[in-house]
Amino acid sequence: MPVNSQLNDEIRILTLFNLDTSLEGIKAHKTAEPGAKEAIARLHKKGLLTQSDGGYLTDLGRNCAEHLQSALRILSSSQD
């Protein structure tokens, strides 16, 4: 599956969440980049976020973010 700019924006949003706690969410402010606002709205529509302007991860969103952040850690590690 190729990573287009919309998917890349969604991935970037999911990496912002602190998975050490479920008490921290995100909020798209008026000054946020349009791409970020649109990505947050899409993630909400997909059932990954609780609010269309951010909020908290749903159970599905948390599962997705955990897998994504784990994959990014693996891909970012140096292979000496």
Side-chain angles (χ1 to χ4, degrees), residues 36-78:
K37 289 181 191 178
E38 293 164 4
I40 290 169
R42 286 192 304 273
L43 291 169
H44 175 257
K45 189 173 182 179
K46 293 176 182 181
L48 279 72
L49 299 179
T50 59
Q51 301 291 320
S52 61
D53 64 348
Y56 300 94
L57 291 168
T58 62
D59 289 342
L60 177 62
R62 181 167 184 82
N63 187 284
C64 181
E66 287 172 348
H67 286 285
L68 174 65
Q69 290 186 26
S70 178
L72 290 172
R73 272 192 303 279
I74 292 167
L75 294 171
S76 297
S77 66
S78 61

